[in-house]
Amino acid sequence: MDLAARLQKTARNTSASGPTGLKPLRPAAPQPVQPKAEAQPREAAPDHTKSDQYHEIKNRIHDRLIDVLDLSLLDSLPKAEMRQEVMRVVERILREDFAQAPLNLSERKSLLGEIEDEVLGLGPLEPYIKDPTVNDILVNGYRNIYVERKGILELTPARFKDDDHLRKIIDRIVSRVGRRVDESSPMVDARLADGSRVNAIIPPLAIDGPSLSIRKFSKDPLELDDLIRFGALPPEIGTVLMGIVQCSLNVLISGGTGSGKTTMLNVLSRFIPEEERIVTIEDAAELQLKQAHVVRLETRPMNIEGRGEVTQRELVKNCLRMRPDRIIIGEVRGAEALDMLQAMNTGHDGSLATIHANTPRDALMRLETMVAMAGLNISDVSLKRYVSSAIDVIIQVSRLMDGSRKLISFQEITGMEGEMITMQEIFAFEQSGLDEGGKVKGRFVTRGIRPKFSERLLARGVALDQNLFTPLGGAA
């Protein structure tokens, strides 16, 4: 039986039997009579004032829709036709079974869109997934959904019905990438179809109910010109970034949460020559490389029996057997740091990685700690020499007070002096204050030091302007 016939048969059965299995609507609580001058039209009420009765009606219509439709048949339809079928059946259910529901025209229209998102998307999150101005979606329990726009967090009027509703959306997200979240494994990293990063944590670890964080990525990834236009860095630094990647320097991108490390990593990857073989290693695949010769590897958590886990360290070891020209690690966070440094020290030049750290010096300290976690039994001085010989450049990015992201320090590792790794800062961003609108004021400066790698760039045919390392003096 085809879909149309199935739906028609179901419609006849529904009309004949009436809304069986549905609880009667609770009568709306009586409202005190207000003076006419103070009365407000219901359409003017913001979404977050929608009553529990509204959410109950939406939930009952959604449950009824699941009973009426065969979703397995819908999956065989093109997305546009599937959407039309769902909306047609929802309108019929609303017209036949909920004609007396206390909903105005605006609420009915809103209800149709929300139910469509429930069936085909991510429920209350779907409008923000589609909104290109939203960078992050943060769910703190079922009642509070925050989004970040232009670096500023704001509370939205959207909400879930309850914790179970939020759990269903989380399960829908993680199941699509073959992962799970339950009491035995209450934390999970996943991704959406567009590559957006997802983290979810549920009780008993999340005391106040499930929590969900989504880091969105643009369908059209940012390029170097975009960062220059946004004021994240000046063109002069952009020229150097292009040169160090083309000349296969090992680069470590350091920064805090939400500082733009992955964006910077994506931008740098654009300058890798097309003919080179690239292997990426990530916990949740989110890099957006445009080259054709790319192999993407992703870690795997253990299964319910505690087996089958594949760590980043194992993937790094395996990728060395895949003849990579470039190794890109989404984030170094554990014992894989040792294998990454070994690769950098044994002929795999041009590797790129990110690390959580507040300063370039802190990034080096974290690397040393991670190598120690791997159980490498060498002296502290030898370990520092190992790190200093592997990393060529550290790029520090930061999210400033006004929400903007900037490259705040560009440092070259020059070697060892005694028991200390020595670095020299080539470029920096110096903040001078805030303007009347709360925007950060400052300028990018050069320290007047010509880096040692400039000779390496010249040997590879990348010529830098002689005046490139003179003071920039440009305002941000």
Side-chain angles (χ1 to χ4, degrees):
M1 183 182 297
D2 61 9
L3 176 64
R6 184 73 171 271
L7 291 175
Q8 290 174 2
K9 179 179 178 181
T10 310
R12 288 195 297 270
N13 294 339
T14 303
S15 299
S17 61
T20 57
L22 294 178
K23 297 182 293 184
L25 290 174
R26 295 180 300 181
Q31 301 293 328
V33 178
Q34 299 291 341
K36 189 172 183 179
E38 298 180 7
Q40 298 293 330
R42 293 182 64 186
E43 289 80 357
D47 289 345
H48 65 269
T49 62
K50 290 175 182 175
S51 65
D52 289 338
Q53 188 178 41
Y54 171 90
H55 290 283
E56 181 184 356
I57 293 172
K58 184 182 75 172
N59 191 57
R60 289 166 58 188
I61 293 177
H62 178 247
D63 292 342
R64 185 63 175 276
L65 180 66
I66 299 301
D67 293 337
V68 170
L69 283 179
D70 187 337
L71 296 182
S72 63
L73 291 178
L74 284 179
D75 290 339
S76 63
L77 291 176
K79 189 171 183 179
E81 293 183 24
M82 180 170 60
R83 193 174 297 273
Q84 290 176 359
E85 288 293 343
V86 170
M87 294 305 293
R88 184 178 65 80
V89 177
V90 170
E91 289 176 350
R92 195 200 71 223
I93 293 174
L94 191 60
R95 182 177 61 253
E96 294 178 356
D97 301 336
F98 295 88
Q100 303 303 318
L103 301 172
N104 58 36
L105 182 60
S106 175
E107 288 175 331
R108 285 176 179 268
K109 183 177 179 181
S110 175
L111 193 65
L112 289 174
E114 290 180 15
I115 293 177
E116 178 185 0
D117 291 338
E118 287 292 334
V119 177
L120 304 176
L122 299 181
L125 304 182
E126 192 66 23
Y128 306 109
I129 294 292
K130 298 175 181 176
D131 188 346
T133 66
V134 172
N135 300 320
D136 290 273
I137 303 173
L138 308 173
V139 182
N140 302 345
Y142 74 92
R143 287 184 176 272
N144 300 315
I145 300 177
Y146 290 83
V147 298
E148 181 196 282
R149 289 187 174 95
K150 298 181 179 179
I152 305 299
L153 283 176
E154 56 186 66
L155 178 64
T156 71
R159 52 165 283 190
F160 291 87
K161 177 179 180 293
D162 51 28
D163 284 341
D164 288 339
H165 184 196
L166 176 53
R167 278 291 304 275
K168 288 179 181 177
I169 297 299
I170 293 175
D171 289 338
R172 183 179 301 175
I173 292 173
V174 301
S175 63
R176 289 174 179 173
V177 292
R179 301 198 174 186
R180 64 184 179 85
V181 58
D182 50 39
E183 288 189 3
S184 63
S185 180
M187 298 183 294
V188 65
D189 287 316
R191 66 179 186 278
L192 301 181
D194 63 357
S196 297
R197 182 194 314 167
V198 178
N199 175 269
I201 183 168
I202 64 172
L205 299 188
I207 298 174
D208 298 322
S211 176
L212 179 66
S213 305
I214 300 177
R215 170 69 51 80
K216 286 180 58 183
F217 287 92
S218 173
K219 294 181 180 179
D220 186 16
L222 296 179
E223 304 288 348
L224 179 61
D225 291 342
D226 297 315
L227 298 189
I228 293 173
R229 186 173 70 254
F230 296 152
L233 53 89
E236 294 85 349
I237 296 180
T239 301
V240 177
L241 293 180
M242 187 183 307
I244 63 176
V245 175
Q246 291 176 345
C247 292
S248 300
L249 297 187
N250 293 320
V251 180
L252 186 64
I253 302 169
S254 170
T257 301
S259 59
K261 298 186 299 298
T262 304
T263 298
M264 179 63 72
L265 186 58
N266 269 320
V267 169
L268 294 184
S269 72
R270 301 290 183 266
F271 308 125
I272 298 176
E274 283 286 345
E275 64 272 11
E276 294 190 7
R277 177 176 172 85
I278 306 170
V279 179
T280 69
I281 299 168
E282 303 173 82
D283 270 334
E286 56 187 345
L287 291 174
Q288 298 167 294
L289 276 65
K290 291 189 175 181
Q291 288 85 346
H293 200 174
V294 177
V295 179
R296 304 169 70 204
L297 306 180
E298 184 180 57
T299 62
R300 185 178 70 184
M302 65 181 63
N303 59 24
I304 195 170
E305 298 174 349
R307 302 174 181 174
E309 181 182 17
V310 179
T311 65
Q312 281 201 146
R313 185 175 189 185
E314 293 172 297
L315 293 179
V316 172
K317 290 179 179 178
N318 185 79
C319 86
L320 298 179
R321 306 184 185 100
M322 300 172 64
R323 196 232 172 255
D325 292 308
R326 304 277 184 144
I327 300 173
I328 300 179
I329 302 180
E331 182 184 339
V332 184
R333 61 178 69 185
E336 69 273 4
L338 171 60
D339 302 279
M340 179 192 73
L341 294 176
Q342 286 179 334
M344 291 178 174
N345 275 319
T346 55
H348 292 88
D349 293 332
S351 297
L352 305 173
T354 73
I355 189 170
H356 272 277
N358 293 326
T359 67
R361 181 63 63 182
D362 288 345
L364 293 178
M365 293 174 60
R366 282 211 66 201
L367 270 182
E368 294 170 23
T369 302
M370 292 174 188
V371 173
M373 292 168 55
L376 184 62
N377 188 20
I378 61 175
S379 67
D380 290 343
V381 175
S382 298
L383 175 57
K384 291 178 184 295
R385 292 187 184 279
Y386 199 65
V387 173
S388 66
S389 64
I391 306 294
D392 296 306
V393 171
I394 298 180
I395 298 172
Q396 184 72 34
V397 293
S398 180
R399 177 182 171 188
L400 304 182
M401 296 175 60
D402 60 355
S404 63
R405 279 89 168 174
K406 293 186 185 296
L407 185 155
I408 62 170
S409 183
F410 181 102
Q411 300 206 22
E412 177 189 31
I413 295 181
T414 57
M416 291 283 295
E417 189 172 301
E419 298 184 359
M420 179 70 68
I421 298 176
T422 56
M423 296 187 291
Q424 56 185 16
E425 189 170 60
I426 310 301
F427 303 108
F429 176 77
E430 294 183 347
Q431 183 176 337
S432 58
L434 300 175
D435 62 16
E436 295 179 355
K439 297 294 184 181
V440 169
K441 295 193 304 181
R443 63 175 187 162
F444 291 96
V445 298
T446 179
R447 300 306 186 190
I449 300 172
R450 188 171 186 84
K452 291 184 176 181
F453 63 69
S454 60
E455 298 178 0
R456 185 170 169 182
L457 268 61
L458 186 60
R460 293 286 295 269
V462 180
L464 298 177
D465 188 342
Q466 294 296 323
N467 299 319
L468 186 60
F469 302 104
T470 57
L472 303 177

